[in-house]
């Protein structure tokens, strides 16, 4: 039972990294005239994710963790609705939100590197700590955003950061994974 759940967690983490890579490449390759369509797609994608999370809550057990997921789903639904309705000024907001997500992801990676990989005696724990610190730095750079005034440049930067974040996620999975193959 435990190994099945760990296997699901590993597959989910790998699929999230692959999706982040695909979205990053799409954001980098997106021409200027399609930025509005990409923003609309992002808004609708967030709405669909929120809808799926609400349906998962309805069909699942009513425990505290599922209520927390429901709250997150409702916040995502509000965000997706705002992106879909206010398309003109939303690129800057996406940059701010993405900067915060990068900082949070970097902080989680830093804690994982210091608490789990270093204590487990993994040899490359310092790589995870360095990459996570770089992720926090890049998140602060995207959050401050002094150089990118046009949406296409900001989308290129966010796409590059998504690629880097997915690489950090894969390194984190490799270094923190509790089961070593024989």
């Amino acid at each position: 039972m435990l190994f099945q759940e760990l296997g699901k967690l590993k597959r989910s983490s790998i699929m999230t990294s692959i999706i982040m890579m695909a979205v990053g490449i799409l954001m980098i390759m997106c021409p200027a005239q399609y930025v509005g369509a990409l923003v609309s797609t992002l808004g609708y994608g967030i709405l669909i994710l929120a809808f799926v999370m609400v349906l998962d809550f309805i069909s699942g057990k009513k425990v505290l963790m599922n209520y927390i997921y429901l709250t997150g789903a409702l916040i995502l639904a509000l965000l997706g609705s705002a992106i879909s309705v206010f398309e003109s000024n939303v690129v800057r907001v996406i940059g701010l939100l993405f900067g915060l997500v990068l900082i949070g992801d970097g902080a989680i990676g830093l804690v994982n590197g210091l608490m789990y990989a270093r204590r487990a005696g993994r040899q490359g724990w310092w790589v995870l700590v360095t990459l996570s610190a770089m992720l926090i730095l890049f998140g602060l750079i995207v959050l401050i955003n002094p150089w990118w005034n046009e949406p296409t440049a900001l989308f290129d930067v966010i796409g590059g950061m998504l690629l880097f974040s997915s690489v950090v996620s894969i390194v984190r999975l490799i270094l923190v994974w509790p089961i070593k193959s024989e």
Side-chain angles (χ1 to χ4, degrees), residues 73-121:
L74 294 176
I75 291 170
L76 281 176
L78 287 174
L79 178 66
S81 300
I83 289 173
S84 298
V85 172
F86 306 111
E87 288 184 23
S88 61
N89 295 328
V90 84
V91 175
R92 185 85 49 202
V93 174
I94 290 173
L96 291 173
L97 289 174
F98 184 72
L100 291 173
V101 167
L102 272 178
I103 291 171
D105 191 27
I108 289 170
L110 198 63
V111 167
N112 284 335
L114 291 174
M115 297 263 315
Y116 301 121
R118 183 176 62 119
R119 288 185 181 178

Side-chain angles (χ1 to χ4, degrees), residues 145-156:
N145 192 13
W147 301 290
W148 307 291
N149 293 330
E150 57 190 42
T152 54
L154 185 62
F155 263 44
D156 290 342

Side-chain angles (χ1 to χ4, degrees), residues 119-149:
R119 288 185 181 178
R122 303 287 173 118
Q123 292 183 352
W125 67 270
W126 57 272
V127 173
L128 181 60
V129 170
T130 305
L131 289 175
S132 298
M134 287 174 58
L135 204 59
I136 292 172
L137 177 69
F138 291 153
L140 287 173
I141 289 172
V142 170
L143 196 62
I144 294 169
N145 192 13
W147 301 290
W148 307 291
N149 293 330

Side-chain angles (χ1 to χ4, degrees), residues 12-30 38 98 105 155-174:
S12 172
S13 180
I14 291 171
M15 284 307 298
T16 303
S17 295
I18 291 171
I19 290 171
M20 283 175 41
M21 281 184 185
V23 170
I25 290 171
L26 180 70
M27 288 178 84
I28 290 172
M29 292 177 29
C30 182
L38 189 62
F98 184 72
D105 191 27
F155 263 44
D156 290 342
V157 169
I158 290 174
M161 297 300 166
L162 271 174
L163 288 173
F164 182 71
S165 176
S166 63
V167 168
V168 172
S169 177
I170 291 171
V171 169
R172 181 184 322 135
L173 180 69
I174 291 170

